[in-house]
Amino acid sequence: MNATEEKRAQFAQATQAQVLAQLKTSATGLSQDDAAQRLNQYGPNTITKGQEGSQLKVFLKNFASLMAILLWVSGLIAILSGTLELGIAIWLVNIINGCFSFWQEHQAKKATDSLMAMLPTFTQVYRDGKVQQIDATQLVPGDVFTLQAGNAVPVDARLLEATSMQVDQSALTGESVPESKNVKYDPGEGEFAESNLIYAGTTVGAGTGLAVCFASGMNTEFGQIATLTQQQVKVDSPLTKELNRLTKQISMIAIGIGIAFFVAAIFFVHYPIAKSFIFALGMIVAFIPEGLLPTVTLSLAHGVQRMAKRHALVKDLNSVETLGETTVICSDKTGTLTQNQMTVNHIWLLNHTYELTGQGYVNNGHIELDDQTVDFHSDPDLDRLLRVAALNNDTKVQQDPETHKPKLLGTPTEAALIIMAEKAGFDLAKAAKETPRLKEFPFDSDRKRMCTIHQHDANTLSACVKGSLSDLLPQCDTIQVAGAIRRLTPDDIDKINAANRKFAAQGLRSLAIAYRQLPGDSDLDSLTIENTETQLTFLGLTVMADPPRPEIYQAVQECHDANIKIIMVTGDSTLTAKSIAVKIGLTSDQARVVTGTELDAMSEAQLQEALRGEIIFARVAPEQKYKIVSTLQKNGEIVASTGDGVNDAPALKKADIGVAMGVTGTDVAKDAADMILTDDNFASIVSAIEEGRTVYANLQKFLTYILTSNVPEAIPSVLFLFSRGLIPLPMTVMQILTVDLGTDMLPALGLGSEQAEPGIMHQPPRARDAHLLNKQVVWKAFAWYGMLASAISTFAYFFVNWQNGWPDVALFASGNGYARATTMVLGAIVFFQIANALNCRTQSASVFKTGIFSNIRIWYGIIFEVILLAILTLVPFLQGLFNTTALAWQDWVFLAIIPIPVFLIEELRKSWLRRRQQA
Ligand code: ADP
Ligand code: MG
């Protein structure tokens, strides 16, 4: 047994009192001061990952890529063949490029790392004797905290209380069957099996508990394991695979062309071997899309940052791509499509309907009440209903230390009931004290009920029950009317259902309230859900409004424009669900509503068929979402699905994009999801999809841009070869390197962070098998922009030669002529790329409309490339290396004019394209 195992065994075997004493704490936790001091001593409760691999290794990796190796070798050959400067220059270019890639990857990592800090996990901790919501990183040994289903266990702890607690320890043990945990000591079998200990990194699947922390941060078992297994195996994403394939394909083509040129240079032009090699190398370098991967990573990371600003945290860069392909969103209703600002506006009793007007809502957890009160004393049924609603309630009312206003901790549904009781003037504290809670059957979204058992008086216990009407009414056999309990008649049931339908048709959500008296000497242990939540006495309905989020109407419209289908999947009633769906424009009123029971009965073929039409799912349990999601996928859809509870986890994992709620979601759901909404808002999913589409479009813009310059880089060599060397090489290898690894880099990067093009959400989702390098990109880059650029640069070359007396004088003849001619070719390509960068910014929208200067990064890139060109032509040492020469002002004017017509021609083409799209 090692030291930590010993410590564990000791904490498991000691009595509760001993454990508390040893940790110098009490059953009501630490004081704020003590906790602060311990935080200093033990440090924050975080897992610090050690150096992930060595930084040096990551750095060096950038110098070992296929292209880098090619450049190393060619530099060496250049040196061996006597051109020392050329060799060194090639190496220098290689080093600069490697550093740049490293910097890009570093930036991307920084961008994504900072996101995770935006998502704190909270724990309910006792400090100064009161329960407080505290960032889990602030937990220290000795802290006493509560847990409930869906919580991540924040630290290693000993249980002090536990009700039907199930813990999923798979993260720690790999064992996927949940462990039962309770306060009695049982060593259990296998690792971490002690029944009364819970461990950081695991999650609570069911039940509730109270525990005292004995180890935090790196001292936890999870922390220990994290130190051991730092290196995670990374699986390549589809996008990475696609990019790798792309790079390889293009590289193979490049090498093929290189070999052909090499052979041609030797046999056609009779170049020496070393010189031919350098020449062929120029071609290879011209074609290989170097810097593609780091640029893609960086623009994904920028996309992720933009999404975060729009309340969508993406956990993995690759989800960005999938988002752009999404064809269906399965969405919860409550809190996602609606505001989750519940207000009880009616209390329906068989005898009377009370209308509660005014606000009285929870604002950031604070109760804001209007003055209105309902006199409940005169109505015994109302009195009883309020009591049940207030007692069957896990909302905690606290005094906010800063505002001194009452503050509510709990779910909006239950908080609304507390406010209802407050409004009626009901004394909550008194009721809670007089009738203490003895036992509970927590709410679960399968049976859609919750039950608490209280000591009513010496001789009676009372079971307080609330839940959805369809799940509660069948459990009732009596009804209380005017203080008297009588049998529930079919007529009563009709009236109750009619009332429920009336409210539901208005999109209101009702919760049924019932109770039951039990003998005071009932054996608590023998009370189960089955024998308690039955023979209930029906009391009435509390009717709540939960208005749609104001931004939802537009978000739904946008989805429809973008050919994205939305399917509401809710636990709420069919009528409420449909009413809201129609109201926000999600479906027409012809939509089919399928209940959970119907869903279970459907065959796969039936469901597949039904999912093709307008459909809403109501009264479904979260587990059933899995079936919906997987059937949609069988229909070939790319599915995003939302969820918040423990039982949503399988569907979230199954979905192509699992979306968890950041505010109301459980830790389990957040863990299973690919994306987390920091505002729980459906509209944020739509924003994320827009960003996802934008990122992909930007990658294509970037590709178009860098591929374009390959053509004018290749044409000179073709001229040279086909003229059997009569036309001197219009562009040298060093110049090709300059464009590819120098001037093109920054504007290309700028394209990666281009804004969404208007209309991007008016197109259908991209097909799953669509390739980044599609026909359109190839056509545009090689045939259209590429040829245009070649025409201009070749013209520049011959124009300069013509000025020097060609064709009467041979092209080589005049002293400085050749250098000036190649410099002009280089210049023409650089200046053409200025216009090209602007042109690539949009598919069909006018750049004047998007704003010429709206993407400032591109302009930084443009300024950079012009300065670089000027330096290369002016510094004598570089002139020699790059075969350049200072240009006359007339030459600069010539170059500066190039972008203007190129840009305008493309604007014309786009306006023609727009007109054709409209027609
Ligand atoms: P939704 O899909 O709208 O989020 P839920 O799964 O949260 O639905 O709830 C389903 C139904 O369960 C609700 O319509 C309501 O009738 C009932 N319900 C919700 N919360 C509680 C609760 N705390 N206690 C009892 N019943 C509840
Ligand atoms: Mg819910």
Side-chain angles (χ1 to χ4, degrees):
M1 208 186 262
N2 64 31
T4 48
E5 277 172 25
E6 220 163 280
K7 182 173 143 196
R8 241 162 57 202
Q10 183 210 334
F11 275 114
Q13 285 159 22
T15 64
Q16 289 198 0
Q18 283 169 337
V19 168
L20 292 174
Q22 193 188 341
L23 292 167
K24 299 200 181 60
T25 182
S26 71
T28 53
L30 300 170
S31 70
Q32 202 64 266
D33 293 342
D34 198 357
Q37 203 189 323
R38 290 189 194 204
L39 189 62
N40 254 333
Q41 187 185 341
Y42 294 102
N45 177 36
T46 46
I47 307 287
T48 43
K49 296 223 176 78
Q51 287 96 3
E52 282 168 44
S54 99
Q55 281 294 93
L56 188 67
K57 226 165 134 191
V58 177
F59 181 71
L60 290 180
K61 215 186 67 203
N62 291 296
F63 300 95
S65 66
L66 173 68
M67 202 229 15
I69 292 169
L70 265 174
L71 287 179
W72 290 129
V73 173
S74 9
L76 189 69
I77 293 178
I79 293 171
L80 293 179
S81 63
T83 42
L84 181 67
E85 300 95 338
L86 181 64
I88 291 177
I90 291 177
W91 282 357
L92 265 177
V93 165
N94 201 13
I95 290 170
I96 293 170
N97 187 53
C99 292
F100 186 61
S101 302
F102 176 71
W103 173 83
Q104 281 181 303
E105 267 168 16
H106 179 73
Q107 287 294 319
K109 194 167 153 8
K110 225 171 64 185
T112 39
D113 281 356
S114 64
L115 292 181
M116 286 304 120
M118 289 174 63
L119 202 78
T121 320
F122 290 102
T123 307
Q124 310 239 10
V125 187
Y126 279 93
R127 291 277 173 87
D128 288 333
K130 281 191 220 106
V131 178
Q132 293 180 25
Q133 185 119 291
I134 283 178
D135 190 325
T137 60
Q138 306 299 302
L139 253 67
V140 291
D143 262 329
V144 174
F145 58 95
T146 67
L147 285 169
Q148 66 184 53
N151 283 160
V153 178
V155 289
D156 289 357
R158 158 81 185 253
L159 282 172
L160 301 175
E161 287 171 20
T163 3
S164 32
M165 201 162 173
Q166 298 277 331
V167 176
D168 173 0
Q169 303 204 129
S170 56
L172 212 51
T173 60
E175 173 56 66
S176 57
V177 180
E179 295 255 354
S180 291
K181 297 277 176 176
N182 52 58
V183 291
K184 291 197 201 85
Y185 172 66
D186 174 358
E189 262 168 48
E191 272 253 280
F192 312 115
E194 304 90 343
S195 59
N196 57 358
L197 297 188
I198 49 175
Y199 295 101
T202 65
T203 52
V204 183
T208 54
L210 182 77
V212 58
C213 163
F214 63 79
S216 65
M218 292 306 282
N219 294 326
T220 62
E221 297 292 340
F222 195 61
Q224 300 289 322
I225 293 177
T227 344
L228 294 179
T229 54
Q230 285 304 349
Q231 238 114 353
Q232 278 182 349
V233 197
K234 261 200 167 164
V235 192
D236 277 350
S237 74
L239 185 62
T240 321
K241 277 191 204 138
E242 156 115 21
L243 287 168
N244 282 334
R245 216 197 53 222
L246 195 81
T247 317
K248 226 172 255 159
Q249 270 177 0
I250 303 183
S251 302
M252 291 324 286
I253 297 173
I255 290 172
I257 296 177
I259 292 172
F261 277 35
F262 177 71
V263 174
I266 291 177
F267 292 102
F268 265 162
V269 196
H270 307 294
Y271 253 24
I273 294 196
K275 217 173 161 192
S276 301
F277 181 83
I278 300 289
F279 166 70
L281 176 84
M283 277 340 307
I284 297 176
V285 173
F287 272 89
I288 293 179
E290 51 275 336
L292 183 62
L293 256 178
T295 308
V296 168
T297 315
L298 190 55
S299 51
L300 286 178
H302 282 152
V304 164
Q305 268 181 329
R306 284 197 304 272
M307 289 179 188
K309 286 202 192 96
R310 301 173 76 178
H311 307 290
L313 293 188
V314 173
K315 291 208 292 199
D316 181 30
L317 287 187
N318 304 305
S319 307
V320 176
E321 194 213 355
T322 320
L323 269 167
E325 295 170 349
T326 306
T327 57
V328 178
I329 308 173
C330 293
S331 175
D332 285 345
K333 174 181 71 70
T334 313
T336 311
L337 296 171
T338 65
Q339 297 179 15
N340 218 0
Q341 288 274 346
M342 306 275 177
T343 325
V344 177
N345 51 18
H346 294 85
I347 302 174
W348 183 89
L349 308 173
L350 194 63
N351 266 349
H352 188 76
T353 307
Y354 291 90
E355 270 188 51
L356 297 158
T357 52
Q359 276 301 309
Y361 58 95
V362 195
N363 192 358
N364 282 332
H366 290 104
I367 306 181
E368 317 231 335
L369 290 177
D370 54 353
D371 294 335
Q372 183 213 9
T373 50
V374 177
D375 179 20
F376 60 93
H377 294 291
S378 57
D379 184 338
D381 306 338
L382 179 62
D383 180 291
R384 177 62 81 167
L385 181 139
L386 291 174
R387 184 174 294 273
V388 171
L391 290 175
N392 180 311
N393 206 308
D394 286 326
T395 309
K396 293 189 183 69
V397 186
Q398 282 185 349
Q399 200 75 12
D400 191 297
E402 278 155 37
T403 59
H404 297 287
K405 278 189 192 162
K407 193 177 157 126
L408 294 181
L409 272 182
T411 68
T413 303
E414 296 200 337
L417 296 178
I418 292 293
I419 289 170
M420 167 188 80
E422 284 271 350
K423 267 187 186 176
F426 188 85
D427 191 342
L428 291 163
K430 189 161 154 252
K433 200 179 271 164
E434 281 174 1
T435 47
R437 189 190 287 192
L438 303 176
K439 185 168 176 145
E440 67 195 24
F441 304 120
F443 170 72
D444 81 55
S445 30
D446 286 326
R447 73 182 210 292
K448 298 191 178 64
R449 293 191 300 264
M450 166 168 168
C451 173
T452 55
I453 298 167
H454 302 259
Q455 188 79 49
H456 190 66
D457 55 41
N459 301 323
T460 30
L461 303 184
S462 78
C464 299
V465 190
K466 69 180 187 323
S468 88
L469 183 68
S470 50
D471 295 84
L472 187 80
L473 196 55
Q475 307 304 322
C476 298
D477 56 5
T478 51
I479 183 168
Q480 175 175 323
V481 184
I485 295 176
R486 63 166 171 76
R487 289 220 77 76
L488 195 61
T489 65
D491 185 45
D492 296 333
I493 293 178
D494 285 347
K495 279 187 184 146
I496 295 168
N497 282 328
N500 185 49
R501 269 199 303 277
K502 188 186 85 189
F503 292 123
Q506 300 165 36
L508 299 171
R509 174 182 163 99
S510 46
L511 207 59
I513 310 280
Y515 79 112
R516 179 181 173 189
Q517 306 278 33
L518 298 163
D521 57 359
S522 307
D523 172 20
L524 279 180
D525 285 338
S526 68
L527 292 178
T528 63
I529 291 176
E530 289 70 31
N531 66 22
T532 312
E533 291 178 8
T534 185
Q535 297 168 29
L536 302 174
T537 302
F538 185 82
L539 282 167
L541 298 171
T542 57
V543 185
M544 305 178 195
D546 177 19
R549 290 176 177 269
E551 58 279 53
I552 211 73
Y553 299 88
Q554 202 202 330
V556 168
Q557 185 56 47
E558 267 176 54
C559 281
H560 288 165
D561 288 345
N563 264 6
I564 298 169
K565 184 167 169 173
I566 311 166
I567 298 177
M568 181 196 277
V569 183
T570 180
D572 219 331
S573 75
T574 37
L575 268 173
T576 311
K578 188 161 187 180
S579 158
I580 299 274
V582 172
K583 183 166 178 189
I584 61 180
L586 209 70
T587 63
S588 70
D589 58 4
Q590 301 301 310
R592 173 165 178 200
V593 187
V594 174
T595 66
T597 330
E598 288 163 11
L599 175 62
D600 275 340
M602 276 168 126
S603 74
E604 191 166 292
Q606 280 173 325
L607 184 57
Q608 271 187 303
E609 189 48 45
L611 283 170
R612 294 206 176 93
E614 279 196 308
I615 193 163
I616 297 168
F617 290 94
R619 285 282 182 245
V620 291
E623 293 87 329
Q624 294 177 303
K625 271 187 204 168
Y626 185 90
K627 186 173 177 186
I628 300 171
V629 170
S630 59
T631 313
L632 280 166
Q633 285 173 335
K634 281 189 195 119
N635 274 358
E637 311 279 6
I638 308 292
V639 188
S641 175
T642 68
D644 49 14
V646 186
N647 302 337
D648 287 313
L652 290 177
K653 285 210 183 106
K654 178 74 185 163
D656 299 280
I657 295 284
V659 185
M661 301 301 136
V663 185
T664 56
T666 56
D667 300 335
V668 173
K670 288 181 201 168
D671 206 51
D674 303 295
M675 183 166 94
I676 296 159
L677 303 180
T678 51
D679 61 353
D680 288 10
N681 191 342
F682 178 83
S684 305
I685 306 177
V686 185
S687 311
I689 289 179
E690 184 182 341
E691 291 294 352
R693 289 182 170 200
T694 306
V695 170
Y696 198 84
N698 286 354
L699 291 181
Q700 289 186 320
K701 292 171 191 173
F702 160 82
L703 261 182
T704 316
Y705 176 81
I706 60 165
L707 290 179
T708 298
S709 58
N710 287 349
V711 184
E713 283 165 12
I715 294 292
S717 304
V718 175
L719 286 177
F720 170 74
L721 285 177
F722 278 86
S723 67
R724 293 187 153 224
L726 266 178
I727 301 175
L729 202 57
M731 201 182 186
T732 65
V733 175
M734 285 309 292
Q735 291 176 348
I736 293 177
L737 286 176
T738 306
V739 173
D740 264 41
L741 304 176
T743 59
D744 264 4
M745 282 300 205
L746 289 187
L749 207 59
L751 284 170
S753 50
E754 188 64 32
Q755 299 272 314
E757 186 168 345
I760 197 154
M761 289 300 270
H762 290 279
Q763 292 157 14
R766 184 176 73 247
R768 166 134 279 190
D769 53 5
H771 290 300
L772 208 49
L773 188 69
N774 58 19
K775 261 196 215 119
Q776 219 187 350
V777 172
V778 173
W779 188 250
K780 209 160 148 186
F782 289 143
W784 171 227
Y785 292 160
M787 283 305 167
L788 203 56
S790 304
I792 293 172
S793 60
T794 312
F795 171 77
Y797 183 69
F798 285 106
F799 183 70
V800 172
N801 281 309
W802 174 73
Q803 282 185 328
N804 288 327
W806 176 79
D808 299 333
V809 183
L811 288 174
F812 264 125
S814 62
N816 200 25
Y818 178 53
R820 196 174 140 238
T822 60
T823 308
M824 281 300 275
V825 172
L826 174 66
I829 295 178
V830 169
F831 274 82
F832 178 87
Q833 287 290 72
I834 293 177
N836 193 19
L838 293 175
N839 288 342
C840 285
R841 290 181 56 197
T842 63
Q843 285 281 350
S844 61
S846 166
V847 175
F848 289 115
K849 209 163 164 206
T850 9
I852 301 251
F853 295 103
S854 63
N855 184 349
I856 204 67
R857 280 167 198 259
I858 286 188
W859 286 99
Y860 290 146
I862 289 173
I863 292 167
F864 167 81
E865 65 180 330
V866 173
I867 291 177
L868 188 62
L869 179 67
I871 292 175
L872 289 181
T873 58
L874 292 175
V875 179
F877 157 70
L878 295 174
Q879 285 177 342
L881 268 184
F882 289 86
N883 196 42
T884 50
T885 183
L887 294 174
W889 67 266
Q890 292 94 333
D891 296 333
W892 283 105
V893 171
F894 173 85
L895 293 178
I897 290 173
I898 293 176
I900 300 169
V902 174
F903 176 66
L904 292 178
I905 288 173
E906 184 60 3
E907 278 292 314
L908 266 176
R909 191 187 68 90
K910 284 176 188 168
S911 85
W912 171 77
L913 200 68
R914 284 195 301 275
R915 215 163 309 141
R916 212 186 53 169
Q917 275 166 355
Q918 254 164 19

